[in-house]
PDB file of all heavy atoms in Angstrom:
ATOM      1  N   GLN A1152      22.617  75.083 -25.614  1.00  0.00           N
ATOM      2  CA  GLN A1152      22.568  73.985 -26.580  1.00  0.00           C
ATOM      3  C   GLN A1152      21.785  72.781 -26.040  1.00  0.00           C
ATOM      4  O   GLN A1152      21.718  71.736 -26.687  1.00  0.00           O
ATOM      5  CB  GLN A1152      23.980  73.519 -26.960  1.00  0.00           C
ATOM      6  CG  GLN A1152      24.775  74.543 -27.760  1.00  0.00           C
ATOM      7  CD  GLN A1152      25.345  75.640 -26.879  1.00  0.00           C
ATOM      8  OE1 GLN A1152      25.744  75.388 -25.738  1.00  0.00           O
ATOM      9  NE2 GLN A1152      25.370  76.858 -27.394  1.00  0.00           N
ATOM     10  N   GLY A1153      21.212  72.932 -24.837  1.00  0.00           N
ATOM     11  CA  GLY A1153      20.374  71.879 -24.292  1.00  0.00           C
ATOM     12  C   GLY A1153      21.115  70.834 -23.486  1.00  0.00           C
ATOM     13  O   GLY A1153      20.531  69.790 -23.158  1.00  0.00           O
ATOM     14  N   TYR A1154      22.374  71.097 -23.124  1.00  0.00           N
ATOM     15  CA  TYR A1154      23.136  70.130 -22.338  1.00  0.00           C
ATOM     16  C   TYR A1154      23.083  70.473 -20.859  1.00  0.00           C
ATOM     17  O   TYR A1154      22.737  71.594 -20.464  1.00  0.00           O
ATOM     18  CB  TYR A1154      24.585  70.078 -22.820  1.00  0.00           C
ATOM     19  CG  TYR A1154      24.751  69.477 -24.185  1.00  0.00           C
ATOM     20  CD1 TYR A1154      25.062  70.270 -25.291  1.00  0.00           C
ATOM     21  CD2 TYR A1154      24.580  68.105 -24.377  1.00  0.00           C
ATOM     22  CE1 TYR A1154      25.212  69.717 -26.551  1.00  0.00           C
ATOM     23  CE2 TYR A1154      24.724  67.545 -25.642  1.00  0.00           C
ATOM     24  CZ  TYR A1154      25.040  68.350 -26.725  1.00  0.00           C
ATOM     25  OH  TYR A1154      25.177  67.793 -27.968  1.00  0.00           O
ATOM     26  N   TYR A1155      23.474  69.483 -20.043  1.00  0.00           N
ATOM     27  CA  TYR A1155      23.472  69.657 -18.592  1.00  0.00           C
ATOM     28  C   TYR A1155      24.454  70.751 -18.176  1.00  0.00           C
ATOM     29  O   TYR A1155      25.569  70.836 -18.685  1.00  0.00           O
ATOM     30  CB  TYR A1155      23.845  68.339 -17.907  1.00  0.00           C
ATOM     31  CG  TYR A1155      23.946  68.444 -16.403  1.00  0.00           C
ATOM     32  CD1 TYR A1155      22.805  68.428 -15.612  1.00  0.00           C
ATOM     33  CD2 TYR A1155      25.183  68.576 -15.781  1.00  0.00           C
ATOM     34  CE1 TYR A1155      22.893  68.519 -14.240  1.00  0.00           C
ATOM     35  CE2 TYR A1155      25.287  68.679 -14.398  1.00  0.00           C
ATOM     36  CZ  TYR A1155      24.136  68.655 -13.629  1.00  0.00           C
ATOM     37  OH  TYR A1155      24.223  68.750 -12.273  1.00  0.00           O
ATOM     38  N   LYS A1156      24.039  71.566 -17.216  1.00  0.00           N
ATOM     39  CA  LYS A1156      24.870  72.652 -16.712  1.00  0.00           C
ATOM     40  C   LYS A1156      24.894  72.587 -15.188  1.00  0.00           C
ATOM     41  O   LYS A1156      23.840  72.557 -14.543  1.00  0.00           O
ATOM     42  CB  LYS A1156      24.318  74.004 -17.164  1.00  0.00           C
ATOM     43  CG  LYS A1156      25.115  75.209 -16.672  1.00  0.00           C
ATOM     44  CD  LYS A1156      24.462  76.502 -17.144  1.00  0.00           C
ATOM     45  CE  LYS A1156      25.219  77.724 -16.651  1.00  0.00           C
ATOM     46  NZ  LYS A1156      24.558  78.980 -17.090  1.00  0.00           N
ATOM     47  N   ARG A1157      26.100  72.527 -14.614  1.00  0.00           N
ATOM     48  CA  ARG A1157      26.206  72.511 -13.161  1.00  0.00           C
ATOM     49  C   ARG A1157      25.824  73.876 -12.596  1.00  0.00           C
ATOM     50  O   ARG A1157      26.232  74.917 -13.120  1.00  0.00           O
ATOM     51  CB  ARG A1157      27.643  72.179 -12.734  1.00  0.00           C
ATOM     52  CG  ARG A1157      28.050  70.741 -13.030  1.00  0.00           C
ATOM     53  CD  ARG A1157      29.464  70.471 -12.550  1.00  0.00           C
ATOM     54  NE  ARG A1157      29.889  69.109 -12.865  1.00  0.00           N
ATOM     55  CZ  ARG A1157      29.693  68.057 -12.077  1.00  0.00           C
ATOM     56  NH1 ARG A1157      29.069  68.240 -10.914  1.00  0.00           N
ATOM     57  NH2 ARG A1157      30.103  66.858 -12.417  1.00  0.00           N
ATOM     58  N   THR A1158      25.069  73.852 -11.502  1.00  0.00           N
ATOM     59  CA  THR A1158      24.682  75.089 -10.825  1.00  0.00           C
ATOM     60  C   THR A1158      24.787  74.880  -9.314  1.00  0.00           C
ATOM     61  O   THR A1158      24.673  73.763  -8.818  1.00  0.00           O
ATOM     62  CB  THR A1158      23.232  75.498 -11.162  1.00  0.00           C
ATOM     63  OG1 THR A1158      22.330  74.577 -10.543  1.00  0.00           O
ATOM     64  CG2 THR A1158      22.994  75.521 -12.671  1.00  0.00           C
ATOM     65  N   PRO A1159      24.980  75.963  -8.550  1.00  0.00           N
ATOM     66  CA  PRO A1159      25.050  75.829  -7.094  1.00  0.00           C
ATOM     67  C   PRO A1159      23.733  75.404  -6.466  1.00  0.00           C
ATOM     68  O   PRO A1159      23.695  74.990  -5.311  1.00  0.00           O
ATOM     69  CB  PRO A1159      25.452  77.229  -6.613  1.00  0.00           C
ATOM     70  CG  PRO A1159      25.472  78.118  -7.793  1.00  0.00           C
ATOM     71  CD  PRO A1159      25.241  77.316  -9.024  1.00  0.00           C
ATOM     72  N   ALA A1160      22.637  75.494  -7.217  1.00  0.00           N
ATOM     73  CA  ALA A1160      21.324  75.150  -6.657  1.00  0.00           C
ATOM     74  C   ALA A1160      21.108  73.643  -6.563  1.00  0.00           C
ATOM     75  O   ALA A1160      20.250  73.184  -5.803  1.00  0.00           O
ATOM     76  CB  ALA A1160      20.217  75.769  -7.522  1.00  0.00           C
ATOM     77  N   TYR A1161      21.900  72.857  -7.309  1.00  0.00           N
ATOM     78  CA  TYR A1161      21.602  71.429  -7.435  1.00  0.00           C
ATOM     79  C   TYR A1161      21.792  70.653  -6.130  1.00  0.00           C
ATOM     80  O   TYR A1161      20.878  69.966  -5.657  1.00  0.00           O
ATOM     81  CB  TYR A1161      22.469  70.813  -8.541  1.00  0.00           C
ATOM     82  CG  TYR A1161      22.200  69.347  -8.771  1.00  0.00           C
ATOM     83  CD1 TYR A1161      21.170  68.940  -9.607  1.00  0.00           C
ATOM     84  CD2 TYR A1161      22.963  68.368  -8.128  1.00  0.00           C
ATOM     85  CE1 TYR A1161      20.913  67.584  -9.810  1.00  0.00           C
ATOM     86  CE2 TYR A1161      22.713  67.017  -8.323  1.00  0.00           C
ATOM     87  CZ  TYR A1161      21.684  66.634  -9.165  1.00  0.00           C
ATOM     88  OH  TYR A1161      21.424  65.298  -9.355  1.00  0.00           O
ATOM     89  N   MET A1162      22.973  70.719  -5.530  1.00  0.00           N
ATOM     90  CA  MET A1162      23.283  69.861  -4.384  1.00  0.00           C
ATOM     91  C   MET A1162      22.404  70.134  -3.163  1.00  0.00           C
ATOM     92  O   MET A1162      21.992  69.181  -2.489  1.00  0.00           O
ATOM     93  CB  MET A1162      24.763  69.962  -4.021  1.00  0.00           C
ATOM     94  CG  MET A1162      25.681  69.262  -5.014  1.00  0.00           C
ATOM     95  SD  MET A1162      25.200  67.545  -5.393  1.00  0.00           S
ATOM     96  CE  MET A1162      25.380  66.772  -3.791  1.00  0.00           C
ATOM     97  N   PRO A1163      22.069  71.392  -2.824  1.00  0.00           N
ATOM     98  CA  PRO A1163      21.158  71.594  -1.686  1.00  0.00           C
ATOM     99  C   PRO A1163      19.799  70.927  -1.888  1.00  0.00           C
ATOM    100  O   PRO A1163      19.193  70.449  -0.925  1.00  0.00           O
ATOM    101  CB  PRO A1163      21.026  73.121  -1.605  1.00  0.00           C
ATOM    102  CG  PRO A1163      22.288  73.638  -2.214  1.00  0.00           C
ATOM    103  CD  PRO A1163      22.624  72.676  -3.309  1.00  0.00           C
ATOM    104  N   ILE A1164      19.332  70.881  -3.146  1.00  0.00           N
ATOM    105  CA  ILE A1164      18.069  70.192  -3.430  1.00  0.00           C
ATOM    106  C   ILE A1164      18.286  68.689  -3.370  1.00  0.00           C
ATOM    107  O   ILE A1164      17.491  67.955  -2.760  1.00  0.00           O
ATOM    108  CB  ILE A1164      17.522  70.614  -4.806  1.00  0.00           C
ATOM    109  CG1 ILE A1164      17.160  72.108  -4.795  1.00  0.00           C
ATOM    110  CG2 ILE A1164      16.301  69.774  -5.187  1.00  0.00           C
ATOM    111  CD1 ILE A1164      16.728  72.636  -6.147  1.00  0.00           C
ATOM    112  N   ARG A1165      19.365  68.217  -4.003  1.00  0.00           N
ATOM    113  CA  ARG A1165      19.639  66.775  -4.021  1.00  0.00           C
ATOM    114  C   ARG A1165      19.825  66.224  -2.609  1.00  0.00           C
ATOM    115  O   ARG A1165      19.361  65.121  -2.293  1.00  0.00           O
ATOM    116  CB  ARG A1165      20.894  66.519  -4.869  1.00  0.00           C
ATOM    117  CG  ARG A1165      21.424  65.100  -4.819  1.00  0.00           C
ATOM    118  CD  ARG A1165      20.454  64.101  -5.418  1.00  0.00           C
ATOM    119  NE  ARG A1165      20.966  62.750  -5.291  1.00  0.00           N
ATOM    120  CZ  ARG A1165      20.789  61.965  -4.220  1.00  0.00           C
ATOM    121  NH1 ARG A1165      20.102  62.426  -3.182  1.00  0.00           N
ATOM    122  NH2 ARG A1165      21.276  60.746  -4.200  1.00  0.00           N
TER     123      ARG A1165
END
Side-chain angles (χ1 to χ4, degrees):
Q1152 292 78 36
Y1154 291 107
Y1155 177 80
K1156 179 182 179 181
R1157 291 182 182 271
T1158 70
Y1161 182 85
M1162 287 309 297
I1164 295 175
R1165 171 65 183 87

